[in-house]
Amino acid sequence: MAKRSQASEDWSRSLAFPGIVASCRIRLARNLRGECFPDHASPQDRERLRDLVCQKLQEVKPLKDCTMIPIESASQQALQELREAHLISTELTERGSGGALLLNPDRSLSLMINEEDHLRIQVLRKDANLRAAWRVADKMDVAIEEQVDVAFHPSYGYLTACPSNVGTGLRVSVMLHLLGLRLTDEIDAVFKALDRLGIVVRGIWGEGSEAAGHLYQLSNQQTLGETEEEIIDRLSDVAEETARQEQNARMRLIEDKPELMMDCLARALAILRNARILHSDETLDFLCALRMGADAGLVLGIEPEIFDYWSTAILPGHMQTLAKGVLEPEARDRIRAELMRRAMESVRLAD
Amino acid sequence: MAKRSQASEDWSRSLAFPGIVASCRIRLARNLRGECFPDHASPQDRERLRDLVCQKLQEVKPLKDCTMIPIESASQQALQELREAHLISTELTERGSGGALLLNPDRSLSLMINEEDHLRIQVLRKDANLRAAWRVADKMDVAIEEQVDVAFHPSYGYLTACPSNVGTGLRVSVMLHLLGLRLTDEIDAVFKALDRLGIVVRGIWGEGSEAAGHLYQLSNQQTLGETEEEIIDRLSDVAEETARQEQNARMRLIEDKPELMMDCLARALAILRNARILHSDETLDFLCALRMGADAGLVLGIEPEIFDYWSTAILPGHMQTLAKGVLEPEARDRIRAELMRRAMESVRLAD
């Protein structure tokens, strides 16, 4: 394992366009020895396991401040909001009984119970510091394994419901905004190269989803045959390389094709300012484009981070959480357009 | 054949949204007896036929004012401009030798020589008055047949290169702007109904083309077993019915879903005003949408017909004809955006 300094852990700080990195995530899959996997367990067994886990984990320090959200009694809007925040999977929200989410106050740490596996430890960060995320996840894992007996095989490693997770049970991902590579038409070549490196690329909403906002999640394919640190360093390196390619694409655009860049920004701003109906995916597209412009000094009159705030605030679940009730899709699209018109009022393009 | 008054001939005048009808067209396919069809003739034979036809038709009165454009010596931009004006087919522009277009000064009357058939008489109007167009085409046909010996079979009628034109050799079409039916999601049902009536629906650029600008060409399938007047009246009736469905769709939109209508107009205007790069198809989409809004009194500060002017002026061939030279696609897209920004300066939405 290559040693790396604390300073180089978060390479996103050295990017000319900080908005390229949206977030990073560590996920560890763990299962209790001698228990059926959740998909094969009875509702009673799942509920018993949840109660057992919650009781045992009371002693785990990082989980002490967590709120426990039982899936079956949570509202649809609450679940949607958690899904949009990448804190919960669609699979878990559809778990009829026995599913739960433990979530710490700043939402950086969570534990899904009775998803595909009994336990899924998740650590989320808004930067690219996977090593820091790993330290938190690992600490939590150690603490959990002191309390419950986890299924581990001397040669296969951690046993999981899906064979693709066997071994370390570790999934590492970085979410990148790759609009520059899309505009320079290089994105397919980059994806092909990532595929050859064994990196999985998905849209922002996970498997099979479209890449709304040109946000792409890069994650490791293999969980077996490498140490956790090797997996993390490799994914981190590949994500950094991809982010630098994106950075280059943006610089070349600004240098060589300023009209293309300005056209993209001008259209995004014009639509956010004038549309009467806005769907969430297109709004995300435009907000991410303007964030890119703000990072480049081409979009003025607003802090770049405000675009990130809106990128989640305009999602259906988040809007309903804020409105404290159900908003029908048509009403949401109208309200979203009004919100955007007001939010973009002071924004202008450099020129 | 049903009799109809002069007044009812052009039903487009009674529409609440005159922009629904873009144009109508009559086309007659004729071939000279004893000559190979152009696709099977030698270059020499095609050239001989063209010379013969041009010489003989000097005596045909409607053709006296026409300009003769030989295809092989015309510039690519000139041909593209003629294609965009629906005066010439792609097939004829690709005819290596012997092809020609005879075109009268106001471009309402034209004759393609050595397209798929030896002669194709075309009459174009900016309204829906197919009967008036037919009178012109018929008069020209009679005059032509006095000069040249046309292939006619006592039971099959006029013989043509493609069996689908045998009989009358008549193709009748009306171009309609159907954005309202698209916005109310009724367009597929309308197309299915048209298909059952034997009406062919194509995009603005003919066979296999996308419907840029939501402009659709309705034409007759059958050319055999009906008289010319029957074909014309049937197509006219169906086009009128379709145009009235479009009118109803627009009225319902304004009444029941004003946000959807205003959203469509606001986006069109915002993009035309702010884009730095504009492709012709999307520009056509936006201009046609704004024409719809102008007809409805929702787009102000501009005469509705100005949108029609721009709908052709922004096409690649037209732009190059105006610029008197070749403009590369990238330059065109930039110039088009500049033109639109200035042309839309005074335009505003009602509210």
Side-chain angles (χ1 to χ4, degrees), chain A residues 76-89 93 107 126 175 204-205 280 311-321 332 336:
Chain A
Q76 282 306 310
Q77 295 109 267
L79 293 178
Q80 192 173 0
E81 193 264 341
L82 291 168
R83 208 162 44 218
E84 291 166 0
H86 303 285
L87 294 165
I88 198 170
S89 63
T93 62
R107 296 184 150 203
K126 289 285 167 200
M175 183 95 70
I204 177 177
W205 305 124
S280 57
S311 294
T312 53
I314 52 84
L315 298 174
H318 280 73
M319 282 182 68
Q320 295 180 94
T321 300
R332 283 202 305 266
R336 189 179 292 117

PDB file of all heavy atoms in Angstrom, chain A residues 76-89 93 107 126 175 204-205 280 311-321 332 336:
ATOM      1  N   GLN A  76     -43.686   8.626   2.928  1.00  0.00           N
ATOM      2  CA  GLN A  76     -43.097   8.510   1.599  1.00  0.00           C
ATOM      3  C   GLN A  76     -42.169   9.688   1.301  1.00  0.00           C
ATOM      4  O   GLN A  76     -41.111   9.513   0.708  1.00  0.00           O
ATOM      5  CB  GLN A  76     -44.189   8.422   0.518  1.00  0.00           C
ATOM      6  CG  GLN A  76     -44.826   7.050   0.401  1.00  0.00           C
ATOM      7  CD  GLN A  76     -43.804   5.928   0.201  1.00  0.00           C
ATOM      8  OE1 GLN A  76     -42.930   6.002  -0.660  1.00  0.00           O
ATOM      9  NE2 GLN A  76     -43.884   4.893   1.030  1.00  0.00           N
ATOM     10  N   GLN A  77     -42.577  10.896   1.731  1.00  0.00           N
ATOM     11  CA  GLN A  77     -41.730  12.067   1.461  1.00  0.00           C
ATOM     12  C   GLN A  77     -40.412  11.979   2.212  1.00  0.00           C
ATOM     13  O   GLN A  77     -39.357  12.302   1.690  1.00  0.00           O
ATOM     14  CB  GLN A  77     -42.377  13.384   1.902  1.00  0.00           C
ATOM     15  CG  GLN A  77     -43.615  13.752   1.163  1.00  0.00           C
ATOM     16  CD  GLN A  77     -44.805  13.596   2.083  1.00  0.00           C
ATOM     17  OE1 GLN A  77     -45.427  12.531   2.096  1.00  0.00           O
ATOM     18  NE2 GLN A  77     -45.104  14.626   2.863  1.00  0.00           N
ATOM     19  N   ALA A  78     -40.509  11.523   3.486  1.00  0.00           N
ATOM     20  CA  ALA A  78     -39.290  11.407   4.291  1.00  0.00           C
ATOM     21  C   ALA A  78     -38.328  10.421   3.629  1.00  0.00           C
ATOM     22  O   ALA A  78     -37.122  10.676   3.522  1.00  0.00           O
ATOM     23  CB  ALA A  78     -39.633  10.959   5.709  1.00  0.00           C
ATOM     24  N   LEU A  79     -38.860   9.296   3.154  1.00  0.00           N
ATOM     25  CA  LEU A  79     -38.004   8.291   2.508  1.00  0.00           C
ATOM     26  C   LEU A  79     -37.411   8.842   1.209  1.00  0.00           C
ATOM     27  O   LEU A  79     -36.244   8.609   0.905  1.00  0.00           O
ATOM     28  CB  LEU A  79     -38.804   7.017   2.229  1.00  0.00           C
ATOM     29  CG  LEU A  79     -39.266   6.240   3.468  1.00  0.00           C
ATOM     30  CD1 LEU A  79     -40.095   5.023   3.060  1.00  0.00           C
ATOM     31  CD2 LEU A  79     -38.064   5.788   4.305  1.00  0.00           C
ATOM     32  N   GLN A  80     -38.235   9.581   0.473  1.00  0.00           N
ATOM     33  CA  GLN A  80     -37.746  10.146  -0.783  1.00  0.00           C
ATOM     34  C   GLN A  80     -36.620  11.149  -0.522  1.00  0.00           C
ATOM     35  O   GLN A  80     -35.612  11.171  -1.218  1.00  0.00           O
ATOM     36  CB  GLN A  80     -38.903  10.827  -1.518  1.00  0.00           C
ATOM     37  CG  GLN A  80     -38.550  11.177  -2.953  1.00  0.00           C
ATOM     38  CD  GLN A  80     -39.748  11.695  -3.739  1.00  0.00           C
ATOM     39  OE1 GLN A  80     -40.857  11.799  -3.207  1.00  0.00           O
ATOM     40  NE2 GLN A  80     -39.532  12.002  -5.004  1.00  0.00           N
ATOM     41  N   GLU A  81     -36.805  11.939   0.520  1.00  0.00           N
ATOM     42  CA  GLU A  81     -35.779  12.925   0.859  1.00  0.00           C
ATOM     43  C   GLU A  81     -34.475  12.225   1.236  1.00  0.00           C
ATOM     44  O   GLU A  81     -33.381  12.639   0.835  1.00  0.00           O
ATOM     45  CB  GLU A  81     -36.294  13.803   2.006  1.00  0.00           C
ATOM     46  CG  GLU A  81     -35.485  15.054   2.276  1.00  0.00           C
ATOM     47  CD  GLU A  81     -34.461  14.868   3.384  1.00  0.00           C
ATOM     48  OE1 GLU A  81     -34.610  13.905   4.181  1.00  0.00           O
ATOM     49  OE2 GLU A  81     -33.530  15.660   3.451  1.00  0.00           O
ATOM     50  N   LEU A  82     -34.575  11.121   1.992  1.00  0.00           N
ATOM     51  CA  LEU A  82     -33.376  10.359   2.381  1.00  0.00           C
ATOM     52  C   LEU A  82     -32.711   9.723   1.159  1.00  0.00           C
ATOM     53  O   LEU A  82     -31.485   9.651   1.073  1.00  0.00           O
ATOM     54  CB  LEU A  82     -33.747   9.277   3.399  1.00  0.00           C
ATOM     55  CG  LEU A  82     -34.167   9.802   4.780  1.00  0.00           C
ATOM     56  CD1 LEU A  82     -34.802   8.674   5.606  1.00  0.00           C
ATOM     57  CD2 LEU A  82     -32.966  10.391   5.523  1.00  0.00           C
ATOM     58  N   ARG A  83     -33.552   9.278   0.214  1.00  0.00           N
ATOM     59  CA  ARG A  83     -33.012   8.678  -1.002  1.00  0.00           C
ATOM     60  C   ARG A  83     -32.275   9.739  -1.818  1.00  0.00           C
ATOM     61  O   ARG A  83     -31.182   9.495  -2.323  1.00  0.00           O
ATOM     62  CB  ARG A  83     -34.168   8.091  -1.813  1.00  0.00           C
ATOM     63  CG  ARG A  83     -33.777   6.916  -2.677  1.00  0.00           C
ATOM     64  CD  ARG A  83     -34.995   6.113  -3.100  1.00  0.00           C
ATOM     65  NE  ARG A  83     -36.076   6.991  -3.526  1.00  0.00           N
ATOM     66  CZ  ARG A  83     -37.362   6.774  -3.269  1.00  0.00           C
ATOM     67  NH1 ARG A  83     -37.739   5.709  -2.582  1.00  0.00           N
ATOM     68  NH2 ARG A  83     -38.275   7.610  -3.698  1.00  0.00           N
ATOM     69  N   GLU A  84     -32.873  10.904  -1.933  1.00  0.00           N
ATOM     70  CA  GLU A  84     -32.238  11.992  -2.692  1.00  0.00           C
ATOM     71  C   GLU A  84     -30.909  12.419  -2.059  1.00  0.00           C
ATOM     72  O   GLU A  84     -29.999  12.867  -2.751  1.00  0.00           O
ATOM     73  CB  GLU A  84     -33.176  13.195  -2.763  1.00  0.00           C
ATOM     74  CG  GLU A  84     -34.394  12.948  -3.635  1.00  0.00           C
ATOM     75  CD  GLU A  84     -35.480  13.996  -3.440  1.00  0.00           C
ATOM     76  OE1 GLU A  84     -35.294  14.921  -2.618  1.00  0.00           O
ATOM     77  OE2 GLU A  84     -36.516  13.881  -4.111  1.00  0.00           O
ATOM     78  N   ALA A  85     -30.816  12.271  -0.727  1.00  0.00           N
ATOM     79  CA  ALA A  85     -29.577  12.632  -0.038  1.00  0.00           C
ATOM     80  C   ALA A  85     -28.567  11.477  -0.053  1.00  0.00           C
ATOM     81  O   ALA A  85     -27.529  11.548   0.607  1.00  0.00           O
ATOM     82  CB  ALA A  85     -29.893  13.051   1.391  1.00  0.00           C
ATOM     83  N   HIS A  86     -28.913  10.401  -0.790  1.00  0.00           N
ATOM     84  CA  HIS A  86     -28.039   9.225  -0.904  1.00  0.00           C
ATOM     85  C   HIS A  86     -27.782   8.553   0.442  1.00  0.00           C
ATOM     86  O   HIS A  86     -26.727   7.953   0.660  1.00  0.00           O
ATOM     87  CB  HIS A  86     -26.703   9.590  -1.565  1.00  0.00           C
ATOM     88  CG  HIS A  86     -26.889  10.206  -2.911  1.00  0.00           C
ATOM     89  ND1 HIS A  86     -27.241   9.484  -4.017  1.00  0.00           N
ATOM     90  CD2 HIS A  86     -26.823  11.497  -3.317  1.00  0.00           C
ATOM     91  CE1 HIS A  86     -27.360  10.295  -5.058  1.00  0.00           C
ATOM     92  NE2 HIS A  86     -27.122  11.520  -4.657  1.00  0.00           N
ATOM     93  N   LEU A  87     -28.738   8.654   1.360  1.00  0.00           N
ATOM     94  CA  LEU A  87     -28.583   8.063   2.681  1.00  0.00           C
ATOM     95  C   LEU A  87     -29.275   6.712   2.764  1.00  0.00           C
ATOM     96  O   LEU A  87     -29.051   5.946   3.698  1.00  0.00           O
ATOM     97  CB  LEU A  87     -29.164   9.006   3.744  1.00  0.00           C
ATOM     98  CG  LEU A  87     -28.383  10.317   3.871  1.00  0.00           C
ATOM     99  CD1 LEU A  87     -29.188  11.344   4.651  1.00  0.00           C
ATOM    100  CD2 LEU A  87     -27.036  10.063   4.524  1.00  0.00           C
ATOM    101  N   ILE A  88     -30.107   6.436   1.800  1.00  0.00           N
ATOM    102  CA  ILE A  88     -30.907   5.226   1.841  1.00  0.00           C
ATOM    103  C   ILE A  88     -31.071   4.754   0.402  1.00  0.00           C
ATOM    104  O   ILE A  88     -31.081   5.577  -0.513  1.00  0.00           O
ATOM    105  CB  ILE A  88     -32.264   5.563   2.522  1.00  0.00           C
ATOM    106  CG1 ILE A  88     -32.976   4.318   3.002  1.00  0.00           C
ATOM    107  CG2 ILE A  88     -33.158   6.380   1.623  1.00  0.00           C
ATOM    108  CD1 ILE A  88     -34.171   4.658   3.883  1.00  0.00           C
ATOM    109  N   SER A  89     -31.153   3.429   0.204  1.00  0.00           N
ATOM    110  CA  SER A  89     -31.312   2.919  -1.155  1.00  0.00           C
ATOM    111  C   SER A  89     -32.794   2.711  -1.461  1.00  0.00           C
ATOM    112  O   SER A  89     -33.608   2.569  -0.553  1.00  0.00           O
ATOM    113  CB  SER A  89     -30.587   1.582  -1.284  1.00  0.00           C
ATOM    114  OG  SER A  89     -31.187   0.648  -0.417  1.00  0.00           O
ATOM    115  N   THR A  93     -36.037   1.372   0.923  1.00  0.00           N
ATOM    116  CA  THR A  93     -37.332   2.072   1.087  1.00  0.00           C
ATOM    117  C   THR A  93     -38.489   1.160   0.719  1.00  0.00           C
ATOM    118  O   THR A  93     -39.612   1.387   1.127  1.00  0.00           O
ATOM    119  CB  THR A  93     -37.423   3.352   0.212  1.00  0.00           C
ATOM    120  OG1 THR A  93     -37.324   2.983  -1.157  1.00  0.00           O
ATOM    121  CG2 THR A  93     -36.350   4.344   0.560  1.00  0.00           C
ATOM    122  N   ARG A 107     -25.569  13.776   9.332  1.00  0.00           N
ATOM    123  CA  ARG A 107     -25.857  12.894   8.196  1.00  0.00           C
ATOM    124  C   ARG A 107     -24.616  12.347   7.487  1.00  0.00           C
ATOM    125  O   ARG A 107     -24.718  11.841   6.370  1.00  0.00           O
ATOM    126  CB  ARG A 107     -26.746  13.615   7.172  1.00  0.00           C
ATOM    127  CG  ARG A 107     -28.114  13.973   7.731  1.00  0.00           C
ATOM    128  CD  ARG A 107     -28.980  14.601   6.661  1.00  0.00           C
ATOM    129  NE  ARG A 107     -30.385  14.306   6.888  1.00  0.00           N
ATOM    130  CZ  ARG A 107     -31.320  14.334   5.948  1.00  0.00           C
ATOM    131  NH1 ARG A 107     -31.000  14.608   4.714  1.00  0.00           N
ATOM    132  NH2 ARG A 107     -32.570  14.065   6.238  1.00  0.00           N
ATOM    133  N   LYS A 126     -18.493  15.573   1.601  1.00  0.00           N
ATOM    134  CA  LYS A 126     -18.704  16.500   0.488  1.00  0.00           C
ATOM    135  C   LYS A 126     -17.413  16.780  -0.279  1.00  0.00           C
ATOM    136  O   LYS A 126     -17.371  17.673  -1.127  1.00  0.00           O
ATOM    137  CB  LYS A 126     -19.297  17.822   1.012  1.00  0.00           C
ATOM    138  CG  LYS A 126     -20.743  17.702   1.466  1.00  0.00           C
ATOM    139  CD  LYS A 126     -21.670  17.622   0.260  1.00  0.00           C
ATOM    140  CE  LYS A 126     -23.094  17.186   0.613  1.00  0.00           C
ATOM    141  NZ  LYS A 126     -23.800  16.675  -0.581  1.00  0.00           N
ATOM    142  N   MET A 175     -18.502  10.988  -6.509  1.00  0.00           N
ATOM    143  CA  MET A 175     -19.458  11.568  -7.463  1.00  0.00           C
ATOM    144  C   MET A 175     -18.819  12.786  -8.106  1.00  0.00           C
ATOM    145  O   MET A 175     -18.395  13.725  -7.417  1.00  0.00           O
ATOM    146  CB  MET A 175     -20.710  11.985  -6.704  1.00  0.00           C
ATOM    147  CG  MET A 175     -21.795  12.542  -7.593  1.00  0.00           C
ATOM    148  SD  MET A 175     -22.993  11.283  -8.059  1.00  0.00           S
ATOM    149  CE  MET A 175     -23.805  11.031  -6.489  1.00  0.00           C
ATOM    150  N   ILE A 204     -26.386   9.681 -11.199  1.00  0.00           N
ATOM    151  CA  ILE A 204     -26.517  10.146  -9.821  1.00  0.00           C
ATOM    152  C   ILE A 204     -27.483   9.312  -9.003  1.00  0.00           C
ATOM    153  O   ILE A 204     -27.304   9.151  -7.798  1.00  0.00           O
ATOM    154  CB  ILE A 204     -26.922  11.643  -9.776  1.00  0.00           C
ATOM    155  CG1 ILE A 204     -27.131  12.126  -8.344  1.00  0.00           C
ATOM    156  CG2 ILE A 204     -28.130  11.936 -10.615  1.00  0.00           C
ATOM    157  CD1 ILE A 204     -27.452  13.602  -8.230  1.00  0.00           C
ATOM    158  N   TRP A 205     -28.518   8.750  -9.631  1.00  0.00           N
ATOM    159  CA  TRP A 205     -29.492   7.971  -8.853  1.00  0.00           C
ATOM    160  C   TRP A 205     -29.209   6.474  -8.866  1.00  0.00           C
ATOM    161  O   TRP A 205     -30.108   5.652  -8.722  1.00  0.00           O
ATOM    162  CB  TRP A 205     -30.931   8.286  -9.301  1.00  0.00           C
ATOM    163  CG  TRP A 205     -31.234   9.749  -9.248  1.00  0.00           C
ATOM    164  CD1 TRP A 205     -31.685  10.521 -10.272  1.00  0.00           C
ATOM    165  CD2 TRP A 205     -31.080  10.640  -8.120  1.00  0.00           C
ATOM    166  NE1 TRP A 205     -31.813  11.821  -9.872  1.00  0.00           N
ATOM    167  CE2 TRP A 205     -31.443  11.918  -8.552  1.00  0.00           C
ATOM    168  CE3 TRP A 205     -30.653  10.477  -6.806  1.00  0.00           C
ATOM    169  CZ2 TRP A 205     -31.399  13.041  -7.712  1.00  0.00           C
ATOM    170  CZ3 TRP A 205     -30.614  11.587  -5.977  1.00  0.00           C
ATOM    171  CH2 TRP A 205     -30.986  12.839  -6.422  1.00  0.00           C
ATOM    172  N   SER A 280     -37.248  18.351 -12.039  1.00  0.00           N
ATOM    173  CA  SER A 280     -36.071  18.383 -11.178  1.00  0.00           C
ATOM    174  C   SER A 280     -34.793  18.010 -11.925  1.00  0.00           C
ATOM    175  O   SER A 280     -33.758  18.629 -11.705  1.00  0.00           O
ATOM    176  CB  SER A 280     -36.271  17.503  -9.941  1.00  0.00           C
ATOM    177  OG  SER A 280     -36.559  16.189 -10.306  1.00  0.00           O
ATOM    178  N   SER A 311     -29.178  22.510  -5.677  1.00  0.00           N
ATOM    179  CA  SER A 311     -29.167  21.216  -6.368  1.00  0.00           C
ATOM    180  C   SER A 311     -29.847  20.120  -5.566  1.00  0.00           C
ATOM    181  O   SER A 311     -30.393  19.179  -6.136  1.00  0.00           O
ATOM    182  CB  SER A 311     -27.729  20.785  -6.688  1.00  0.00           C
ATOM    183  OG  SER A 311     -27.166  21.663  -7.627  1.00  0.00           O
ATOM    184  N   THR A 312     -29.804  20.229  -4.246  1.00  0.00           N
ATOM    185  CA  THR A 312     -30.572  19.245  -3.465  1.00  0.00           C
ATOM    186  C   THR A 312     -31.922  19.825  -3.041  1.00  0.00           C
ATOM    187  O   THR A 312     -32.915  19.104  -3.015  1.00  0.00           O
ATOM    188  CB  THR A 312     -29.801  18.751  -2.223  1.00  0.00           C
ATOM    189  OG1 THR A 312     -29.383  19.879  -1.468  1.00  0.00           O
ATOM    190  CG2 THR A 312     -28.589  17.935  -2.594  1.00  0.00           C
ATOM    191  N   ALA A 313     -31.976  21.114  -2.770  1.00  0.00           N
ATOM    192  CA  ALA A 313     -33.235  21.699  -2.276  1.00  0.00           C
ATOM    193  C   ALA A 313     -34.375  21.587  -3.281  1.00  0.00           C
ATOM    194  O   ALA A 313     -35.539  21.574  -2.892  1.00  0.00           O
ATOM    195  CB  ALA A 313     -33.013  23.167  -1.898  1.00  0.00           C
ATOM    196  N   ILE A 314     -34.068  21.506  -4.593  1.00  0.00           N
ATOM    197  CA  ILE A 314     -35.151  21.449  -5.586  1.00  0.00           C
ATOM    198  C   ILE A 314     -35.603  20.018  -5.889  1.00  0.00           C
ATOM    199  O   ILE A 314     -36.471  19.803  -6.729  1.00  0.00           O
ATOM    200  CB  ILE A 314     -34.763  22.134  -6.918  1.00  0.00           C
ATOM    201  CG1 ILE A 314     -33.433  21.617  -7.462  1.00  0.00           C
ATOM    202  CG2 ILE A 314     -34.702  23.644  -6.770  1.00  0.00           C
ATOM    203  CD1 ILE A 314     -33.455  20.380  -8.262  1.00  0.00           C
ATOM    204  N   LEU A 315     -35.019  19.023  -5.216  1.00  0.00           N
ATOM    205  CA  LEU A 315     -35.436  17.638  -5.464  1.00  0.00           C
ATOM    206  C   LEU A 315     -36.811  17.396  -4.823  1.00  0.00           C
ATOM    207  O   LEU A 315     -37.137  18.009  -3.800  1.00  0.00           O
ATOM    208  CB  LEU A 315     -34.386  16.673  -4.913  1.00  0.00           C
ATOM    209  CG  LEU A 315     -32.997  16.803  -5.580  1.00  0.00           C
ATOM    210  CD1 LEU A 315     -31.982  15.910  -4.877  1.00  0.00           C
ATOM    211  CD2 LEU A 315     -33.074  16.452  -7.064  1.00  0.00           C
ATOM    212  N   PRO A 316     -37.619  16.528  -5.429  1.00  0.00           N
ATOM    213  CA  PRO A 316     -39.010  16.362  -4.989  1.00  0.00           C
ATOM    214  C   PRO A 316     -39.162  16.100  -3.484  1.00  0.00           C
ATOM    215  O   PRO A 316     -39.972  16.745  -2.821  1.00  0.00           O
ATOM    216  CB  PRO A 316     -39.501  15.164  -5.801  1.00  0.00           C
ATOM    217  CG  PRO A 316     -38.656  15.165  -7.020  1.00  0.00           C
ATOM    218  CD  PRO A 316     -37.317  15.692  -6.603  1.00  0.00           C
ATOM    219  N   GLY A 317     -38.376  15.174  -2.952  1.00  0.00           N
ATOM    220  CA  GLY A 317     -38.505  14.847  -1.534  1.00  0.00           C
ATOM    221  C   GLY A 317     -38.094  16.013  -0.646  1.00  0.00           C
ATOM    222  O   GLY A 317     -38.745  16.303   0.363  1.00  0.00           O
ATOM    223  N   HIS A 318     -37.015  16.679  -1.015  1.00  0.00           N
ATOM    224  CA  HIS A 318     -36.551  17.827  -0.242  1.00  0.00           C
ATOM    225  C   HIS A 318     -37.587  18.946  -0.253  1.00  0.00           C
ATOM    226  O   HIS A 318     -37.835  19.589   0.768  1.00  0.00           O
ATOM    227  CB  HIS A 318     -35.219  18.351  -0.803  1.00  0.00           C
ATOM    228  CG  HIS A 318     -34.034  17.546  -0.342  1.00  0.00           C
ATOM    229  ND1 HIS A 318     -33.778  16.285  -0.819  1.00  0.00           N
ATOM    230  CD2 HIS A 318     -33.053  17.812   0.561  1.00  0.00           C
ATOM    231  CE1 HIS A 318     -32.683  15.822  -0.240  1.00  0.00           C
ATOM    232  NE2 HIS A 318     -32.218  16.722   0.600  1.00  0.00           N
ATOM    233  N   MET A 319     -38.194  19.187  -1.402  1.00  0.00           N
ATOM    234  CA  MET A 319     -39.207  20.245  -1.487  1.00  0.00           C
ATOM    235  C   MET A 319     -40.400  19.936  -0.587  1.00  0.00           C
ATOM    236  O   MET A 319     -40.946  20.817   0.074  1.00  0.00           O
ATOM    237  CB  MET A 319     -39.691  20.410  -2.937  1.00  0.00           C
ATOM    238  CG  MET A 319     -38.719  21.177  -3.817  1.00  0.00           C
ATOM    239  SD  MET A 319     -39.357  21.394  -5.498  1.00  0.00           S
ATOM    240  CE  MET A 319     -40.737  22.515  -5.182  1.00  0.00           C
ATOM    241  N   GLN A 320     -40.777  18.659  -0.558  1.00  0.00           N
ATOM    242  CA  GLN A 320     -41.929  18.287   0.256  1.00  0.00           C
ATOM    243  C   GLN A 320     -41.595  18.313   1.742  1.00  0.00           C
ATOM    244  O   GLN A 320     -42.441  18.644   2.570  1.00  0.00           O
ATOM    245  CB  GLN A 320     -42.455  16.917  -0.181  1.00  0.00           C
ATOM    246  CG  GLN A 320     -42.992  16.984  -1.588  1.00  0.00           C
ATOM    247  CD  GLN A 320     -43.536  15.661  -2.088  1.00  0.00           C
ATOM    248  OE1 GLN A 320     -44.714  15.388  -1.998  1.00  0.00           O
ATOM    249  NE2 GLN A 320     -42.656  14.826  -2.601  1.00  0.00           N
ATOM    250  N   THR A 321     -40.358  17.966   2.075  1.00  0.00           N
ATOM    251  CA  THR A 321     -39.936  18.048   3.471  1.00  0.00           C
ATOM    252  C   THR A 321     -39.995  19.502   3.932  1.00  0.00           C
ATOM    253  O   THR A 321     -40.485  19.811   5.017  1.00  0.00           O
ATOM    254  CB  THR A 321     -38.508  17.486   3.614  1.00  0.00           C
ATOM    255  OG1 THR A 321     -38.518  16.128   3.174  1.00  0.00           O
ATOM    256  CG2 THR A 321     -38.036  17.536   5.054  1.00  0.00           C
ATOM    257  N   ARG A 332     -45.208  21.011  -7.685  1.00  0.00           N
ATOM    258  CA  ARG A 332     -43.756  21.092  -7.454  1.00  0.00           C
ATOM    259  C   ARG A 332     -43.061  21.779  -8.613  1.00  0.00           C
ATOM    260  O   ARG A 332     -42.193  22.632  -8.418  1.00  0.00           O
ATOM    261  CB  ARG A 332     -43.170  19.678  -7.321  1.00  0.00           C
ATOM    262  CG  ARG A 332     -43.428  19.015  -6.010  1.00  0.00           C
ATOM    263  CD  ARG A 332     -42.401  17.921  -5.750  1.00  0.00           C
ATOM    264  NE  ARG A 332     -42.316  16.913  -6.811  1.00  0.00           N
ATOM    265  CZ  ARG A 332     -42.977  15.760  -6.806  1.00  0.00           C
ATOM    266  NH1 ARG A 332     -43.784  15.450  -5.795  1.00  0.00           N
ATOM    267  NH2 ARG A 332     -42.833  14.888  -7.778  1.00  0.00           N
ATOM    268  N   ARG A 336     -41.035  25.061  -8.157  1.00  0.00           N
ATOM    269  CA  ARG A 336     -39.596  25.009  -8.463  1.00  0.00           C
ATOM    270  C   ARG A 336     -39.209  26.128  -9.426  1.00  0.00           C
ATOM    271  O   ARG A 336     -38.184  26.782  -9.241  1.00  0.00           O
ATOM    272  CB  ARG A 336     -39.264  23.631  -9.057  1.00  0.00           C
ATOM    273  CG  ARG A 336     -37.790  23.370  -9.205  1.00  0.00           C
ATOM    274  CD  ARG A 336     -37.521  21.989  -9.761  1.00  0.00           C
ATOM    275  NE  ARG A 336     -37.877  20.929  -8.825  1.00  0.00           N
ATOM    276  CZ  ARG A 336     -38.814  20.015  -9.038  1.00  0.00           C
ATOM    277  NH1 ARG A 336     -39.501  20.017 -10.161  1.00  0.00           N
ATOM    278  NH2 ARG A 336     -39.066  19.085  -8.133  1.00  0.00           N
TER     279      ARG A 336
END
